[in-house]
Structures are given as structure tokens and as C-alpha cells.
């Protein structure tokens, strides 16, 4: 599943971006680094791989209910941390897709 063109780069990493939440497989600080290493070993451009991982990490950094800052904000505004995730994930997913589109013009 190594992206070979702009469209596949955008679709694969855009649609799978929620996998960065809960320290998932596309989180740069966890398993994502290993997955990207496997993609690079399989022939993917290393710069494209790292850019994709960093863009997907935006979903994790803003939406992940396990991040301390999200827990603090949720406590401050007296709402459930999962509600914050539900309200932010759509917007961050859109920005991730936009970032992937822009990056794809530079990388492919």
C-alpha cells in the first residue's frame, strides 16, 4: 500500500489520519515511525513519508482525548474529553487533507 502518485498519497494518508489518535499506528511518537520506516524500505520517498506522518500527527495533537492539554481544557470547560474530540476531528481532518494536497505538489 505504498503511494506511487499524488492521489494515492492524499487518499491513503488522509483517510487513515484518524489512526494517529490514541497513540495509534500513524502517531509519529509511537508505532508510526516504524511503519514509515517500512514504507521507505519498500520504496517510498522518505521525505514524503515523513511529511505524511507529521500531517497525520496534527490529528493526534489536536483531537486525541489522551493528551494532557485536551484533558485540562475539557476539565476547564466542564465537558467530556471525547466531546472535544468529536467537535475538532472534522476540522483537523480537513486541514490534514489540505496539507496533503499541498505537499503532494512538492513531493510528486
Amino acid at each position: 500500500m505504498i503511494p506511487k502518485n499524488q492521489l494515492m498519497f492524499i487518499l491513503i494518508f488522509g483517510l487513515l489520519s484518524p489512526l494517529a489518535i490514541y497513540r495509534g499506528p500513524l502517531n509519529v511518537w509511537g508505532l508510526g515511525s516504524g511503519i514509515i520506516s517500512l514504507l521507505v524500505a519498500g520504496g517510498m520517498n522518505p521525505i514524503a513519508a515523513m511529511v505524511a506522518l507529521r500531517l497525520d500527527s496534527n490529528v493526534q495533537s489536536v483531537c486525541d482525548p489522551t493528551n494532557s492539554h485536551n484533558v485540562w481544557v475539557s476539565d476547564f470547560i466542564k465537558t467530556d474529553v471525547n466531546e472535544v474530540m468529536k467537535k475538532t476531528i472534522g476540522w483537523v481532518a480537513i486541514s490534514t487533507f489540505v496539507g496533503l494536497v499541498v505537499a503532494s505538489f512538492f513531493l510528486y
Side-chain angles (χ1 to χ4, degrees):
M1 202 161 95
I2 298 173
K4 301 289 185 194
N5 58 47
Q6 284 179 300
L7 181 61
M8 291 310 294
F9 175 76
I10 295 163
L11 289 177
I12 289 171
F13 289 105
L15 294 175
L16 296 180
S17 65
L19 292 177
I21 296 177
Y22 294 108
R23 307 288 189 235
L26 288 182
N27 182 336
V28 71
W29 310 114
L31 183 59
S33 297
I35 288 176
I36 292 302
S37 297
L38 291 173
L39 290 172
V40 169
M44 185 175 178
N45 175 350
I47 296 170
M50 197 61 216
V51 167
L53 192 67
R54 289 300 301 142
L55 285 167
D56 284 350
S57 289
N58 290 338
V59 175
Q60 188 274 333
S61 63
V62 174
C63 305
D64 193 342
T66 64
N67 283 343
S68 296
H69 55 81
N70 289 345
V71 174
W72 294 339
V73 167
S74 296
D75 185 53
F76 182 76
I77 62 175
K78 305 294 185 229
T79 189
D80 183 50
V81 71
N82 293 310
E83 290 300 316
V84 173
M85 178 186 68
K86 291 175 189 173
K87 290 180 180 180
T88 58
I89 195 162
W91 297 106
V92 178
I94 291 168
S95 72
T96 299
F97 268 103
V98 170
L100 288 166
V101 168
V102 171
S104 72
F105 285 103
F106 290 102
L107 300 168
Y108 287 92

